[in-house]
């Protein structure tokens, strides 16, 4: 699901993270000075059926034959270990439309084929990864999960980057990360990676020892800004308190600030959370997607500023009932609101299905209410 938040350790282990959000933390491996050659190839993947229907395309009738798109996709994940500490990693995506009932087929999901074309294929991940003692280097196409540069996991495949990432965990409880990003394939945008103008890079540090804290600096020439991001979280008596701050300095225009707070706990088997973001002087820069607390399924709060300081709120509840993972959330962001209802079920160890309903409304713009239903079925092999 596209709202899955990636941990920093998961983000730096992007080479072993395959499409579909299955990103598992991987700790750096300490190796002996002399490493014997090792040849091992692992292959896995999944077949997917995707259906999405959008009421905005048919005067509010979201189940009209004029409002739907569907596709079939194959995701193939391959890792080849040259040595114990050096590997090549690939995620290949192939897809074809199963029906497109509106638009000219060249737009994104609001009026065309999924992934912007009828049939296509591409490598979403293609990199070399090398680990030496406490340092890991990932070079090539990869998934990133930093707070303000990250791929958006939705529809056929998550957004991906051509980048060089270096991570070090030599200091206990502290991980240092640096990433230089050259290209970006936005989620649901097609098969090509777009060049990013100028120098685009980030350096960050995360500390975990009772308190979890992140500090990141971003230089994004392609969008003309630099940025500082910081957050911290602490859990006590079953309650987690989190806070975040982002300041963005634009080359042209007013500098902006954003604050966030979140509280979460579990009661009677139900995970509950409430979050707040405030934006001052303008929108917040990001690439792909971001980790702001009040984001929803269809809407990022980062670009909802409209001339006045913005207050955004979000409440969320999730639990498992009879094997069904269920989540309900509601967000309000001054200009509008969004309701999300998400359900997922593992039919077998290999087969899973997900259904998402989202209702998005922008208050000041007539006719912008959007009811969307999405259906996903995956077979893992």
């Amino acid at each position: 699901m596209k709202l899955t938040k990636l941990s920093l350790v998961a983000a730096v282990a992007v080479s072993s993270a395959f499409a579909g959000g299955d990103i598992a933390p991987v700790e750096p491996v300490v190796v002996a000075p002399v490493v014997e050659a090792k040849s091992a190839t692992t292959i896995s993947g999944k077949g997917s059926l995707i259906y999405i229907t959008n009421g905005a395309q048919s005067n509010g009738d979201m189940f009209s034959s004029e409002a739907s798109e569907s596709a079939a996709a194959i995701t193939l994940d391959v890792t080849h270990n040259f040595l114990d500490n050096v590997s090549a990693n690939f995620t290949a995506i192939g897809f074809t439309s199963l029906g497109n009932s509106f638009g000219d087929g060249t737009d994104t999901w609001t009026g065309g084929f999924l992934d912007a074309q009828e049939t296509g294929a591409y490598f979403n991940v293609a990199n070399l990864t090398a680990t030496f003692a406490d340092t890991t280097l990932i070079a090539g196409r990869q998934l990133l999960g930093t707070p303000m540069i990250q791929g958006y996991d939705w529809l056929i495949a998550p957004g991906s980057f051509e980048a060089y990432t270096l991570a070090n965990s030599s200091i206990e409880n502290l991980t240092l990360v640096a990433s230089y990003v050259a290209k970006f394939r936005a989620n649901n945008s097609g098969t090509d990676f777009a060049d990013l103008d100028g120098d685009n890079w980030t350096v960050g540090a995360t500390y975990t020892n009772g308190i979890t804290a992140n500090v990141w600096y971003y230089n994004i020439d392609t969008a003309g800004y630099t940025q500082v991001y910081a957050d911290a979280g602490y859990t006590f008596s079953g309650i987690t308190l989190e806070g975040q701050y982002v300041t963005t300095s634009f080359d042209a225009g007013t500098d902006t600030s954003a604050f966030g707070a979140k509280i979460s706990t579990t009661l009677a088997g139900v995970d509950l959370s409430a979050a707040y973001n405030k934006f001052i002087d303008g929108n917040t820069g990001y690439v792909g997607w971001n980790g702001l607390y009040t984001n929803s399924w269809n809407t990022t709060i980062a670009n909802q500023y409209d001339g006045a300081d913005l207050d955004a709120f979000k409440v969320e509840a999730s639990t498992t009932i009879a094997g069904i993972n269920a989540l309900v959330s509601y967000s309000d962001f001054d200009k509008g609101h969004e309701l999300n209802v998400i359900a997922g079920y593992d039919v077998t160890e290999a087969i899973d299905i997900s259904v998402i309903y989202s209702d998005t409304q922008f208050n000041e713009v007539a006719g912008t209410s959007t009811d969307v239903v999405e259906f996903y079925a995956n077979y893992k092999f």
Side-chain angles (χ1 to χ4, degrees), residues 26-371:
V26 177
E27 298 293 341
V29 178
V30 178
V31 297
V34 177
V35 180
E36 295 181 359
K38 175 183 177 182
S39 178
T41 302
T42 58
I43 300 174
S44 62
K46 66 178 181 178
S48 302
L49 295 176
I50 302 165
Y51 173 85
I52 180 170
T53 181
N54 182 354
Q57 300 295 332
S58 58
N59 297 318
D61 183 2
M62 62 181 176
F63 293 108
S64 166
S65 60
E66 299 177 354
S68 64
E69 301 165 276
S70 57
I74 294 290
T75 301
L76 187 65
D77 305 316
V78 179
T79 295
H80 179 76
N81 296 293
F82 298 103
L83 302 169
D84 285 343
N85 61 336
V86 180
S87 64
N89 308 279
F90 303 93
T91 295
I93 310 290
F95 64 93
T96 186
S97 173
L98 298 178
N100 171 55
S101 60
F102 56 91
D104 60 8
T106 60
D107 301 326
T108 57
W109 75 284
T110 55
F113 296 115
L114 298 183
D115 242 338
Q117 60 190 71
E118 187 170 8
T119 301
Y122 55 94
F123 283 100
N124 206 39
V125 170
N127 64 60
L128 289 174
T129 298
T131 299
F132 300 94
D134 297 324
T135 300
T136 298
L137 171 67
I138 309 103
R141 294 185 179 182
Q142 56 191 271
L143 308 182
L144 290 177
T146 81
M148 305 306 287
I149 299 180
Q150 56 181 269
Y152 197 37
D153 190 4
W154 184 46
L155 297 176
I156 291 175
S160 185
F161 303 83
E162 288 192 8
Y164 301 89
T165 299
L166 191 66
N168 177 270
S169 58
S170 297
I171 302 174
E172 185 178 6
N173 302 319
L174 181 68
T175 301
L176 304 176
V177 183
S179 244
Y180 182 90
V181 183
K183 296 183 179 182
F184 175 43
R185 191 200 67 82
N187 176 266
N188 201 42
S189 67
T191 62
D192 296 329
F193 282 67
D195 291 324
L196 300 181
D197 295 334
D199 294 318
N200 303 276
W201 51 270
T202 182
V203 292
T206 185
Y207 176 81
T208 303
N209 186 19
I211 294 175
T212 298
N214 289 280
V215 178
W216 290 81
Y217 178 83
Y218 296 88
N219 183 90
I220 310 298
D221 283 348
T222 191
Y225 68 83
T226 59
Q227 185 177 69
V228 174
Y229 173 94
D231 68 30
Y234 181 68
T235 300
F236 63 96
S237 300
I239 298 173
T240 300
L241 298 177
E242 299 173 86
Q244 62 184 181
Y245 171 72
V246 192
T247 178
T248 308
S249 299
F250 292 96
D251 295 343
T254 304
D255 296 344
T256 68
S257 298
F259 302 85
K262 183 177 180 180
I263 182 171
S264 56
T265 191
T266 300
L267 294 175
V270 179
D271 296 329
L272 302 170
S273 67
Y276 169 76
N277 280 119
K278 185 176 186 66
F279 290 77
I280 300 173
D281 295 331
N283 289 322
T284 297
Y286 66 97
V287 180
W289 196 244
N290 60 81
L292 297 176
Y293 295 150
T294 55
N295 287 338
S296 294
W297 188 264
N298 291 320
T299 308
T300 174
I301 196 64
N303 55 20
Q304 297 304 315
Y305 183 90
D306 191 24
D309 291 352
L310 183 147
D311 296 291
F313 303 87
K314 180 182 178 181
V315 291
E316 181 176 295
S318 63
T319 191
T320 300
I321 304 174
I324 299 174
N325 298 312
L327 180 150
V328 178
S329 69
Y330 179 82
S331 63
D332 183 281
F333 43 91
D334 287 353
K335 291 170 57 179
H337 58 265
E338 181 170 334
L339 170 68
N340 301 143
V341 180
I342 302 169
Y345 181 70
D346 292 332
V347 180
T348 68
E349 289 186 359
I351 300 173
D352 64 81
I353 58 175
S354 299
V355 179
I356 299 95
Y357 168 74
S358 58
D359 176 26
T360 308
Q361 172 72 58
F362 289 90
N363 301 328
E364 300 175 359
V365 183
T368 58
S369 178
T370 302
D371 292 305

